Amino acid sequence: MAAAAASLHATAAVSKSRSAAIPQVATSVRVAAASRGPGSARARGGLVVARAAAVKDEAADTNSGGHEVLMFEALREAMIEEMTLDPTVCMIGEDVGDYGGSYKVSKGLSEMFGDLRVLDTPIAENSFTGMGVGAAMKGLRPVVEGMNMGFLLLAYNQISNNCGMLHYTSGGQFKIPIVIRGPGGVGRQLGAEHSQRLESYFQSIPGLQMVACSTPYNAKGLLKAAIRSENPVVVFEHVLLYNMKEKIPDEDYICCLEEAEMVRPGSQVTILTYSRMRYHVMQAVKTLVNKGYDPEVIDIRSLKPFDLHTIGNSVKKTHRVLIVEECMRTGGIGASLRSAIIDNFWDELDAPPMCLSSQDVPTPYAAPLEDATVVQPPQIVAAIEEICR
Amino acid sequence: MAAASFTAAKFLAPALPARSGAGGDRAPSSFPASSAMRPLRRARPAHRLLAVSSDVLAGNKAAPAAAAAQPAVTREEALELYEDMVLGRNFEDMCAQMYYRGKMFGFVHLYNGQEAVSTGFIKLLNQPDCVVSTYRDHVHALSKGVPARSVMAELFGKATGCCRGQGGSMHMFSEPHNVLGGFAFIGEGIPVATGAAFAAKYRHEVLKQSSPDGLDVTIAFFGDGTANNGQFFECLNMAQLWKLPIIFVVENNLWAIGMSHLRATSDPEIWKKGPAFGMPGVHVDGMDVLKVREVAKEAIDRARRGEGPTLVEAETYRFRGHSLADPDELRRPDEKSHYAARDPITQLKKYIIEQNLASEAELKSIEKRIDDVVEEAVEFADASPLPPRSQLLENVFADPKGFGIGPDGKYRCEDPKFTQGTAQV
């Protein structure tokens, strides 16, 4: 089923990346504790969806019911459901209330929940993020929206020093169950400052979890899981993915924050990606499959921590890795991921792990330059051909 | 001691005469005149050294003058204030000793001289009220009720410290006492305090959890240097916008390390910045615990009633350097002696005796008791163990699943040894 997004390059041949049999989940507020059984990293309490089976056909047919949503609607559903379930969940950000959110994620929410629970803030990212931290310390579960992720650079002080650290420096006395979310990534000629990838800047902050959503399904699931998590979680959305369409389950579900998602199983080479680059990868995969290659595509989803189990199993199978990311080359998620793979799976590798990243350049405004900034499908095809030689 | 020789006098017009009659004044007071940093330009009643009630702000009636004849406090209250200030002073003196003996490390910022502000405000708070401070936070924690032994052990870096030794001098936290830190970067705590106040309003309005006392109050303490920081202004705006139950207390001790307040600030009268945001701004003599307490009462009551924030500028002074590493060479001796003569503890003692609230002997016995408390705190801290290696990663995440899934498919936190440092991502 193709995404209806007019604004996307890649026609997203989005795999139905979820298990055929989705367990009926109870709508309890807190995620059940991780099961301690050996091996099964998957069955972590009744609320967590079993790990994605890979094949797109399977899930689509067995799914009776479900409803189609665009990505921003999926996020909105997540917010509504969690705010209904738990009155301590609130939203803080610019234009989230009356305006409904600049990407419509909170459309109608302030009418539903009141303008204290959906708080329109003045333009003061550092302070309202810090306010979210203080509120979290005192028992609320705020969801702080950065209108554009780049604006949260102004909140770096609070995100690094307070979100990440206070649970630790207080000796575990205060928890910070805050969610920080917003759109980032390179858009459509938005200019350098609106085209930033903060995941690389935040990844070193201890005490912070980071996830990147890429489909309406995982967007809703990850946002819900992030809200329910006791940890501070940064949820990276992408400016160009808000109109992605997909059918998602009617029943309550969450996605595990720490797990990666199998998009397309394969045997020849592992492609690790996240967010919008997933679609560039899948477009390249169409070409590659026609040329006779069999890549395995994993959407890592959890940018911090990495799901080394899913990634490792794949590397052990294919022995070749390509990372495709939108971060800049220097110090990006790919750089860390490459290190982690080398550290953990060196013996499994038949080729050096390759990483395709954006150019180290402030994203130019001009269209051809902007296109050249991010990784495009032909580059991915060429890289796979290189790795598999 | 003429106020004229004080640095501020070069900048501002001569001091106003000491106010008379208005509440909280002590008739036989022989305090030196408060510094020349009073509001001078237009003597609007709302900005004299009286707390501002909402009536005054609305201009409806003049602030009622309290009867000057009776003392501002009862005997019990006075002794409580005295004991708290003596605790703060003795504790900090002990910190200096311990630091120079190599039991305490890093940056330690002592509060000597400023006790009236901490005591004056915090002793009016209840348990659910929150306090947020800066790196000069030991005494705020003590005033709020954190046991001296917990603070001392934290300073020694022991596992029995209030933050398990993980915070240190600049990060005092106590959940049971609602001390929300302890922050090393100035200004950083102000948004956190604003968030705590937001949560108090939220509990009342959304969760419908109300207390007969009114809203839970949050007090943010910070210094003159912080009053030039963006977070300060951003939070003044938001607090007033949403009428949050918060009090912004500027402990203006005139120096930010070696930067004089007057050299750093275009308009040094910080209290004036309150009305710029629509909230009352009050200046108070922060060396006088009873005056501070009077202002605090008003500000706290306003906040509890839901009338919103107050900005209080307390003129105060730190007798020691910025930190124990500061040679404190820039401050002039006459400035230091001016404020030494206004030592809040000496003044309160004098007041208590003159008002016959207690005898010299009783005060001495309080001092002795506090000495014992502080000694015991040191003994406790000394005897306490250092944190074990296994504590290293325990509190990085409230939910340790945040360390992720290892190559073997298990969550790293399922390894019993993970907190020692095996949980490398």
Side-chain angles (χ1 to χ4, degrees), chain A residues 41 44 87 117 126-127 131 138 157-158 161 167-168 173 231 258, chain B residues 162 166 173 175 178 188 202 231 234 392 395 398-399 409 411:
Chain A
R44 296 177 203 289
R117 285 191 79 184
N126 194 31
S127 290
M131 205 176 94
K138 286 305 294 172
N157 178 32
Q158 292 290 338
N161 281 330
H167 183 71
Y168 192 81
Q173 293 184 80
N231 297 334
E258 296 88 24
Chain B
C162 52
Q166 291 165 191
F173 288 82
E175 198 269 328
N178 280 308
E188 208 171 44
Y202 191 100
Q231 286 165 112
E234 289 175 356
L392 181 63
N395 301 127
D399 178 357
Y411 272 102

PDB file of all heavy atoms in Angstrom, chain A residues 41 44 87 117 126-127 131 138 157-158 161 167-168 173 231 258, chain B residues 162 166 173 175 178 188 202 231 234 392 395 398-399 409 411:
ATOM      1  N   ALA A  41      13.552 -11.610  23.898  1.00  0.00           N
ATOM      2  CA  ALA A  41      13.615 -10.171  24.088  1.00  0.00           C
ATOM      3  C   ALA A  41      12.294  -9.556  23.709  1.00  0.00           C
ATOM      4  O   ALA A  41      12.081  -8.377  23.839  1.00  0.00           O
ATOM      5  CB  ALA A  41      14.714  -9.589  23.217  1.00  0.00           C
ATOM      6  N   ARG A  44       7.697  -8.690  26.340  1.00  0.00           N
ATOM      7  CA  ARG A  44       7.971  -7.897  27.528  1.00  0.00           C
ATOM      8  C   ARG A  44       6.680  -7.347  28.090  1.00  0.00           C
ATOM      9  O   ARG A  44       6.319  -6.213  27.866  1.00  0.00           O
ATOM     10  CB  ARG A  44       8.907  -6.757  27.174  1.00  0.00           C
ATOM     11  CG  ARG A  44      10.204  -7.316  26.730  1.00  0.00           C
ATOM     12  CD  ARG A  44      11.162  -6.271  26.293  1.00  0.00           C
ATOM     13  NE  ARG A  44      12.122  -6.881  25.391  1.00  0.00           N
ATOM     14  CZ  ARG A  44      13.051  -7.724  25.786  1.00  0.00           C
ATOM     15  NH1 ARG A  44      13.173  -8.043  27.041  1.00  0.00           N
ATOM     16  NH2 ARG A  44      13.860  -8.254  24.929  1.00  0.00           N
ATOM     17  N   PRO A  87      -4.665  11.457  33.445  1.00  0.00           N
ATOM     18  CA  PRO A  87      -4.838  12.911  33.520  1.00  0.00           C
ATOM     19  C   PRO A  87      -3.574  13.694  33.818  1.00  0.00           C
ATOM     20  O   PRO A  87      -3.587  14.919  33.745  1.00  0.00           O
ATOM     21  CB  PRO A  87      -5.852  13.083  34.670  1.00  0.00           C
ATOM     22  CG  PRO A  87      -5.750  11.852  35.472  1.00  0.00           C
ATOM     23  CD  PRO A  87      -5.350  10.756  34.539  1.00  0.00           C
ATOM     24  N   ARG A 117      -3.985  21.804  30.027  1.00  0.00           N
ATOM     25  CA  ARG A 117      -3.411  20.526  29.634  1.00  0.00           C
ATOM     26  C   ARG A 117      -2.787  20.574  28.246  1.00  0.00           C
ATOM     27  O   ARG A 117      -1.972  19.728  27.897  1.00  0.00           O
ATOM     28  CB  ARG A 117      -4.475  19.420  29.658  1.00  0.00           C
ATOM     29  CG  ARG A 117      -4.829  18.962  31.049  1.00  0.00           C
ATOM     30  CD  ARG A 117      -5.668  17.710  31.010  1.00  0.00           C
ATOM     31  NE  ARG A 117      -4.845  16.533  30.776  1.00  0.00           N
ATOM     32  CZ  ARG A 117      -5.333  15.315  30.610  1.00  0.00           C
ATOM     33  NH1 ARG A 117      -6.634  15.120  30.626  1.00  0.00           N
ATOM     34  NH2 ARG A 117      -4.537  14.287  30.410  1.00  0.00           N
ATOM     35  N   ASN A 126      13.979  27.090  25.980  1.00  0.00           N
ATOM     36  CA  ASN A 126      14.780  26.610  27.110  1.00  0.00           C
ATOM     37  C   ASN A 126      13.930  26.593  28.363  1.00  0.00           C
ATOM     38  O   ASN A 126      13.929  25.617  29.108  1.00  0.00           O
ATOM     39  CB  ASN A 126      16.004  27.506  27.281  1.00  0.00           C
ATOM     40  CG  ASN A 126      17.049  26.884  28.191  1.00  0.00           C
ATOM     41  OD1 ASN A 126      17.197  25.669  28.254  1.00  0.00           O
ATOM     42  ND2 ASN A 126      17.763  27.708  28.915  1.00  0.00           N
ATOM     43  N   SER A 127      13.181  27.667  28.553  1.00  0.00           N
ATOM     44  CA  SER A 127      12.414  27.750  29.789  1.00  0.00           C
ATOM     45  C   SER A 127      11.205  26.838  29.810  1.00  0.00           C
ATOM     46  O   SER A 127      10.905  26.260  30.848  1.00  0.00           O
ATOM     47  CB  SER A 127      11.991  29.195  30.049  1.00  0.00           C
ATOM     48  OG  SER A 127      13.135  29.955  30.380  1.00  0.00           O
ATOM     49  N   MET A 131      10.548  23.907  32.300  1.00  0.00           N
ATOM     50  CA  MET A 131       9.288  23.854  33.021  1.00  0.00           C
ATOM     51  C   MET A 131       8.708  22.452  32.944  1.00  0.00           C
ATOM     52  O   MET A 131       8.182  21.915  33.919  1.00  0.00           O
ATOM     53  CB  MET A 131       8.317  24.845  32.381  1.00  0.00           C
ATOM     54  CG  MET A 131       7.256  25.330  33.291  1.00  0.00           C
ATOM     55  SD  MET A 131       6.221  26.556  32.513  1.00  0.00           S
ATOM     56  CE  MET A 131       4.921  25.517  31.927  1.00  0.00           C
ATOM     57  N   LYS A 138       7.507  16.788  39.610  1.00  0.00           N
ATOM     58  CA  LYS A 138       6.415  16.875  40.562  1.00  0.00           C
ATOM     59  C   LYS A 138       5.191  16.094  40.116  1.00  0.00           C
ATOM     60  O   LYS A 138       4.069  16.438  40.475  1.00  0.00           O
ATOM     61  CB  LYS A 138       6.048  18.348  40.795  1.00  0.00           C
ATOM     62  CG  LYS A 138       7.047  19.105  41.636  1.00  0.00           C
ATOM     63  CD  LYS A 138       7.309  18.453  42.984  1.00  0.00           C
ATOM     64  CE  LYS A 138       6.059  18.486  43.853  1.00  0.00           C
ATOM     65  NZ  LYS A 138       6.232  17.697  45.082  1.00  0.00           N
ATOM     66  N   ASN A 157      20.373  23.223  27.001  1.00  0.00           N
ATOM     67  CA  ASN A 157      20.779  23.294  28.410  1.00  0.00           C
ATOM     68  C   ASN A 157      19.860  22.452  29.265  1.00  0.00           C
ATOM     69  O   ASN A 157      20.291  21.609  30.040  1.00  0.00           O
ATOM     70  CB  ASN A 157      20.728  24.754  28.859  1.00  0.00           C
ATOM     71  CG  ASN A 157      21.089  24.926  30.320  1.00  0.00           C
ATOM     72  OD1 ASN A 157      21.904  24.183  30.862  1.00  0.00           O
ATOM     73  ND2 ASN A 157      20.480  25.895  30.973  1.00  0.00           N
ATOM     74  N   GLN A 158      18.566  22.657  29.108  1.00  0.00           N
ATOM     75  CA  GLN A 158      17.615  21.937  29.942  1.00  0.00           C
ATOM     76  C   GLN A 158      17.574  20.455  29.584  1.00  0.00           C
ATOM     77  O   GLN A 158      17.418  19.601  30.443  1.00  0.00           O
ATOM     78  CB  GLN A 158      16.219  22.562  29.818  1.00  0.00           C
ATOM     79  CG  GLN A 158      16.122  23.952  30.420  1.00  0.00           C
ATOM     80  CD  GLN A 158      16.217  23.946  31.938  1.00  0.00           C
ATOM     81  OE1 GLN A 158      15.963  22.932  32.580  1.00  0.00           O
ATOM     82  NE2 GLN A 158      16.589  25.075  32.517  1.00  0.00           N
ATOM     83  N   ASN A 161      21.338  19.104  30.746  1.00  0.00           N
ATOM     84  CA  ASN A 161      21.632  19.198  32.168  1.00  0.00           C
ATOM     85  C   ASN A 161      20.512  18.684  33.037  1.00  0.00           C
ATOM     86  O   ASN A 161      20.759  18.102  34.087  1.00  0.00           O
ATOM     87  CB  ASN A 161      21.917  20.649  32.555  1.00  0.00           C
ATOM     88  CG  ASN A 161      23.321  21.057  32.182  1.00  0.00           C
ATOM     89  OD1 ASN A 161      24.226  20.234  32.153  1.00  0.00           O
ATOM     90  ND2 ASN A 161      23.507  22.322  31.891  1.00  0.00           N
ATOM     91  N   HIS A 167      17.701  12.738  37.298  1.00  0.00           N
ATOM     92  CA  HIS A 167      17.387  11.491  37.983  1.00  0.00           C
ATOM     93  C   HIS A 167      18.648  10.968  38.660  1.00  0.00           C
ATOM     94  O   HIS A 167      18.615  10.449  39.775  1.00  0.00           O
ATOM     95  CB  HIS A 167      16.827  10.460  37.008  1.00  0.00           C
ATOM     96  CG  HIS A 167      16.427   9.182  37.658  1.00  0.00           C
ATOM     97  ND1 HIS A 167      15.311   9.078  38.478  1.00  0.00           N
ATOM     98  CD2 HIS A 167      16.986   7.950  37.654  1.00  0.00           C
ATOM     99  CE1 HIS A 167      15.224   7.847  38.941  1.00  0.00           C
ATOM    100  NE2 HIS A 167      16.220   7.133  38.455  1.00  0.00           N
ATOM    101  N   TYR A 168      19.758  11.145  37.991  1.00  0.00           N
ATOM    102  CA  TYR A 168      21.009  10.644  38.533  1.00  0.00           C
ATOM    103  C   TYR A 168      21.542  11.519  39.660  1.00  0.00           C
ATOM    104  O   TYR A 168      21.879  11.042  40.735  1.00  0.00           O
ATOM    105  CB  TYR A 168      22.063  10.535  37.428  1.00  0.00           C
ATOM    106  CG  TYR A 168      23.271   9.760  37.840  1.00  0.00           C
ATOM    107  CD1 TYR A 168      23.247   8.368  37.820  1.00  0.00           C
ATOM    108  CD2 TYR A 168      24.423  10.398  38.274  1.00  0.00           C
ATOM    109  CE1 TYR A 168      24.345   7.633  38.226  1.00  0.00           C
ATOM    110  CE2 TYR A 168      25.523   9.660  38.683  1.00  0.00           C
ATOM    111  CZ  TYR A 168      25.477   8.291  38.649  1.00  0.00           C
ATOM    112  OH  TYR A 168      26.569   7.555  39.046  1.00  0.00           O
ATOM    113  N   GLN A 173      16.016  10.120  43.240  1.00  0.00           N
ATOM    114  CA  GLN A 173      14.829  10.568  43.973  1.00  0.00           C
ATOM    115  C   GLN A 173      13.732  11.095  43.057  1.00  0.00           C
ATOM    116  O   GLN A 173      12.552  10.957  43.357  1.00  0.00           O
ATOM    117  CB  GLN A 173      15.204  11.686  44.946  1.00  0.00           C
ATOM    118  CG  GLN A 173      16.102  11.237  46.077  1.00  0.00           C
ATOM    119  CD  GLN A 173      16.359  12.357  47.039  1.00  0.00           C
ATOM    120  OE1 GLN A 173      15.530  12.661  47.883  1.00  0.00           O
ATOM    121  NE2 GLN A 173      17.512  12.982  46.921  1.00  0.00           N
ATOM    122  N   ASN A 231      11.292   7.119  31.732  1.00  0.00           N
ATOM    123  CA  ASN A 231      12.518   7.814  31.336  1.00  0.00           C
ATOM    124  C   ASN A 231      12.189   9.018  30.469  1.00  0.00           C
ATOM    125  O   ASN A 231      11.170   9.051  29.805  1.00  0.00           O
ATOM    126  CB  ASN A 231      13.410   6.871  30.528  1.00  0.00           C
ATOM    127  CG  ASN A 231      13.879   5.675  31.331  1.00  0.00           C
ATOM    128  OD1 ASN A 231      13.975   5.747  32.554  1.00  0.00           O
ATOM    129  ND2 ASN A 231      14.167   4.581  30.639  1.00  0.00           N
ATOM    130  N   GLU A 258      12.791   0.164  22.773  1.00  0.00           N
ATOM    131  CA  GLU A 258      14.189  -0.232  22.588  1.00  0.00           C
ATOM    132  C   GLU A 258      14.413  -1.151  21.397  1.00  0.00           C
ATOM    133  O   GLU A 258      15.533  -1.582  21.148  1.00  0.00           O
ATOM    134  CB  GLU A 258      14.699  -0.920  23.859  1.00  0.00           C
ATOM    135  CG  GLU A 258      14.731  -0.011  25.087  1.00  0.00           C
ATOM    136  CD  GLU A 258      13.424  -0.010  25.854  1.00  0.00           C
ATOM    137  OE1 GLU A 258      12.664  -0.991  25.743  1.00  0.00           O
ATOM    138  OE2 GLU A 258      13.149   0.971  26.576  1.00  0.00           O
TER     139      GLU A 258
ATOM    140  N   CYS B 162      22.200  12.679  50.783  1.00  0.00           N
ATOM    141  CA  CYS B 162      20.813  12.783  50.304  1.00  0.00           C
ATOM    142  C   CYS B 162      20.673  12.393  48.838  1.00  0.00           C
ATOM    143  O   CYS B 162      19.605  11.981  48.404  1.00  0.00           O
ATOM    144  CB  CYS B 162      20.235  14.177  50.564  1.00  0.00           C
ATOM    145  SG  CYS B 162      21.256  15.517  49.943  1.00  0.00           S
ATOM    146  N   GLN B 166      25.937  11.165  44.653  1.00  0.00           N
ATOM    147  CA  GLN B 166      26.029  11.355  43.212  1.00  0.00           C
ATOM    148  C   GLN B 166      25.882  12.808  42.792  1.00  0.00           C
ATOM    149  O   GLN B 166      26.153  13.164  41.661  1.00  0.00           O
ATOM    150  CB  GLN B 166      24.960  10.497  42.497  1.00  0.00           C
ATOM    151  CG  GLN B 166      25.267   9.029  42.602  1.00  0.00           C
ATOM    152  CD  GLN B 166      24.101   8.106  42.246  1.00  0.00           C
ATOM    153  OE1 GLN B 166      24.175   6.923  42.495  1.00  0.00           O
ATOM    154  NE2 GLN B 166      23.035   8.628  41.679  1.00  0.00           N
ATOM    155  N   PHE B 173      19.269  17.502  46.530  1.00  0.00           N
ATOM    156  CA  PHE B 173      17.877  17.187  46.211  1.00  0.00           C
ATOM    157  C   PHE B 173      17.292  16.404  47.366  1.00  0.00           C
ATOM    158  O   PHE B 173      17.979  15.591  47.984  1.00  0.00           O
ATOM    159  CB  PHE B 173      17.785  16.290  44.968  1.00  0.00           C
ATOM    160  CG  PHE B 173      18.103  16.976  43.679  1.00  0.00           C
ATOM    161  CD1 PHE B 173      19.420  17.150  43.279  1.00  0.00           C
ATOM    162  CD2 PHE B 173      17.102  17.419  42.832  1.00  0.00           C
ATOM    163  CE1 PHE B 173      19.730  17.773  42.077  1.00  0.00           C
ATOM    164  CE2 PHE B 173      17.402  18.032  41.627  1.00  0.00           C
ATOM    165  CZ  PHE B 173      18.703  18.211  41.246  1.00  0.00           C
ATOM    166  N   GLU B 175      13.498  14.499  47.809  1.00  0.00           N
ATOM    167  CA  GLU B 175      12.102  14.323  47.412  1.00  0.00           C
ATOM    168  C   GLU B 175      11.153  14.446  48.599  1.00  0.00           C
ATOM    169  O   GLU B 175      10.135  15.130  48.492  1.00  0.00           O
ATOM    170  CB  GLU B 175      11.973  12.977  46.688  1.00  0.00           C
ATOM    171  CG  GLU B 175      10.715  12.829  45.855  1.00  0.00           C
ATOM    172  CD  GLU B 175       9.577  12.233  46.633  1.00  0.00           C
ATOM    173  OE1 GLU B 175       9.859  11.417  47.523  1.00  0.00           O
ATOM    174  OE2 GLU B 175       8.413  12.576  46.366  1.00  0.00           O
ATOM    175  N   ASN B 178      10.836  18.008  49.291  1.00  0.00           N
ATOM    176  CA  ASN B 178      10.553  18.862  48.131  1.00  0.00           C
ATOM    177  C   ASN B 178      11.620  19.910  47.899  1.00  0.00           C
ATOM    178  O   ASN B 178      11.339  21.088  47.653  1.00  0.00           O
ATOM    179  CB  ASN B 178       9.163  19.509  48.264  1.00  0.00           C
ATOM    180  CG  ASN B 178       8.078  18.537  47.852  1.00  0.00           C
ATOM    181  OD1 ASN B 178       8.136  17.953  46.757  1.00  0.00           O
ATOM    182  ND2 ASN B 178       7.110  18.313  48.714  1.00  0.00           N
ATOM    183  N   GLU B 188      19.400  27.836  35.674  1.00  0.00           N
ATOM    184  CA  GLU B 188      18.878  26.550  35.241  1.00  0.00           C
ATOM    185  C   GLU B 188      17.732  26.052  36.095  1.00  0.00           C
ATOM    186  O   GLU B 188      16.897  25.283  35.638  1.00  0.00           O
ATOM    187  CB  GLU B 188      20.026  25.568  35.396  1.00  0.00           C
ATOM    188  CG  GLU B 188      20.009  24.411  34.494  1.00  0.00           C
ATOM    189  CD  GLU B 188      21.303  23.682  34.643  1.00  0.00           C
ATOM    190  OE1 GLU B 188      21.755  23.482  35.792  1.00  0.00           O
ATOM    191  OE2 GLU B 188      21.862  23.362  33.603  1.00  0.00           O
ATOM    192  N   TYR B 202      -1.730  22.820  38.188  1.00  0.00           N
ATOM    193  CA  TYR B 202      -2.348  21.716  37.444  1.00  0.00           C
ATOM    194  C   TYR B 202      -3.056  20.761  38.393  1.00  0.00           C
ATOM    195  O   TYR B 202      -4.175  20.319  38.155  1.00  0.00           O
ATOM    196  CB  TYR B 202      -1.233  20.994  36.687  1.00  0.00           C
ATOM    197  CG  TYR B 202      -1.657  19.990  35.662  1.00  0.00           C
ATOM    198  CD1 TYR B 202      -1.659  20.325  34.301  1.00  0.00           C
ATOM    199  CD2 TYR B 202      -2.005  18.687  36.008  1.00  0.00           C
ATOM    200  CE1 TYR B 202      -2.016  19.398  33.336  1.00  0.00           C
ATOM    201  CE2 TYR B 202      -2.370  17.763  35.038  1.00  0.00           C
ATOM    202  CZ  TYR B 202      -2.364  18.119  33.706  1.00  0.00           C
ATOM    203  OH  TYR B 202      -2.717  17.195  32.745  1.00  0.00           O
ATOM    204  N   GLN B 231      16.763  32.902  31.129  1.00  0.00           N
ATOM    205  CA  GLN B 231      15.793  32.015  31.766  1.00  0.00           C
ATOM    206  C   GLN B 231      14.999  32.758  32.828  1.00  0.00           C
ATOM    207  O   GLN B 231      13.819  32.485  33.053  1.00  0.00           O
ATOM    208  CB  GLN B 231      16.514  30.805  32.378  1.00  0.00           C
ATOM    209  CG  GLN B 231      16.975  29.824  31.325  1.00  0.00           C
ATOM    210  CD  GLN B 231      17.994  28.825  31.844  1.00  0.00           C
ATOM    211  OE1 GLN B 231      17.717  27.646  31.948  1.00  0.00           O
ATOM    212  NE2 GLN B 231      19.184  29.298  32.157  1.00  0.00           N
ATOM    213  N   GLU B 234      12.377  34.828  30.913  1.00  0.00           N
ATOM    214  CA  GLU B 234      11.378  33.962  30.289  1.00  0.00           C
ATOM    215  C   GLU B 234      10.413  33.422  31.336  1.00  0.00           C
ATOM    216  O   GLU B 234       9.214  33.302  31.114  1.00  0.00           O
ATOM    217  CB  GLU B 234      12.081  32.811  29.548  1.00  0.00           C
ATOM    218  CG  GLU B 234      12.819  33.277  28.286  1.00  0.00           C
ATOM    219  CD  GLU B 234      13.629  32.165  27.605  1.00  0.00           C
ATOM    220  OE1 GLU B 234      13.690  31.034  28.140  1.00  0.00           O
ATOM    221  OE2 GLU B 234      14.196  32.439  26.539  1.00  0.00           O
ATOM    222  N   LEU B 392      27.227   2.666  40.280  1.00  0.00           N
ATOM    223  CA  LEU B 392      27.584   3.583  39.198  1.00  0.00           C
ATOM    224  C   LEU B 392      26.450   3.903  38.241  1.00  0.00           C
ATOM    225  O   LEU B 392      26.168   5.048  37.948  1.00  0.00           O
ATOM    226  CB  LEU B 392      28.768   2.997  38.416  1.00  0.00           C
ATOM    227  CG  LEU B 392      29.268   3.865  37.249  1.00  0.00           C
ATOM    228  CD1 LEU B 392      29.790   5.185  37.764  1.00  0.00           C
ATOM    229  CD2 LEU B 392      30.351   3.118  36.474  1.00  0.00           C
ATOM    230  N   ASN B 395      21.197   4.742  38.787  1.00  0.00           N
ATOM    231  CA  ASN B 395      20.176   5.787  38.658  1.00  0.00           C
ATOM    232  C   ASN B 395      20.253   6.545  37.346  1.00  0.00           C
ATOM    233  O   ASN B 395      19.747   7.660  37.247  1.00  0.00           O
ATOM    234  CB  ASN B 395      20.284   6.780  39.821  1.00  0.00           C
ATOM    235  CG  ASN B 395      20.118   6.122  41.163  1.00  0.00           C
ATOM    236  OD1 ASN B 395      20.963   6.274  42.036  1.00  0.00           O
ATOM    237  ND2 ASN B 395      19.045   5.387  41.315  1.00  0.00           N
ATOM    238  N   ALA B 398      15.363   5.925  35.255  1.00  0.00           N
ATOM    239  CA  ALA B 398      14.332   5.463  36.187  1.00  0.00           C
ATOM    240  C   ALA B 398      13.877   4.066  35.755  1.00  0.00           C
ATOM    241  O   ALA B 398      13.620   3.198  36.580  1.00  0.00           O
ATOM    242  CB  ALA B 398      13.155   6.426  36.189  1.00  0.00           C
ATOM    243  N   ASP B 399      13.782   3.846  34.458  1.00  0.00           N
ATOM    244  CA  ASP B 399      13.481   2.523  33.942  1.00  0.00           C
ATOM    245  C   ASP B 399      14.737   2.018  33.250  1.00  0.00           C
ATOM    246  O   ASP B 399      15.064   2.473  32.150  1.00  0.00           O
ATOM    247  CB  ASP B 399      12.321   2.604  32.943  1.00  0.00           C
ATOM    248  CG  ASP B 399      12.001   1.256  32.333  1.00  0.00           C
ATOM    249  OD1 ASP B 399      12.704   0.270  32.640  1.00  0.00           O
ATOM    250  OD2 ASP B 399      11.043   1.180  31.549  1.00  0.00           O
ATOM    251  N   GLY B 409      20.139 -10.593  23.112  1.00  0.00           N
ATOM    252  CA  GLY B 409      18.683 -10.556  23.112  1.00  0.00           C
ATOM    253  C   GLY B 409      18.076 -10.189  24.443  1.00  0.00           C
ATOM    254  O   GLY B 409      16.874  -9.980  24.548  1.00  0.00           O
ATOM    255  N   TYR B 411      17.667  -7.661  27.735  1.00  0.00           N
ATOM    256  CA  TYR B 411      17.903  -6.292  28.152  1.00  0.00           C
ATOM    257  C   TYR B 411      19.181  -6.264  28.985  1.00  0.00           C
ATOM    258  O   TYR B 411      19.431  -7.144  29.800  1.00  0.00           O
ATOM    259  CB  TYR B 411      16.738  -5.771  29.005  1.00  0.00           C
ATOM    260  CG  TYR B 411      15.634  -5.158  28.193  1.00  0.00           C
ATOM    261  CD1 TYR B 411      14.456  -5.845  27.941  1.00  0.00           C
ATOM    262  CD2 TYR B 411      15.775  -3.877  27.675  1.00  0.00           C
ATOM    263  CE1 TYR B 411      13.444  -5.267  27.200  1.00  0.00           C
ATOM    264  CE2 TYR B 411      14.770  -3.291  26.928  1.00  0.00           C
ATOM    265  CZ  TYR B 411      13.611  -3.989  26.692  1.00  0.00           C
ATOM    266  OH  TYR B 411      12.603  -3.417  25.954  1.00  0.00           O
TER     267      TYR B 411
END
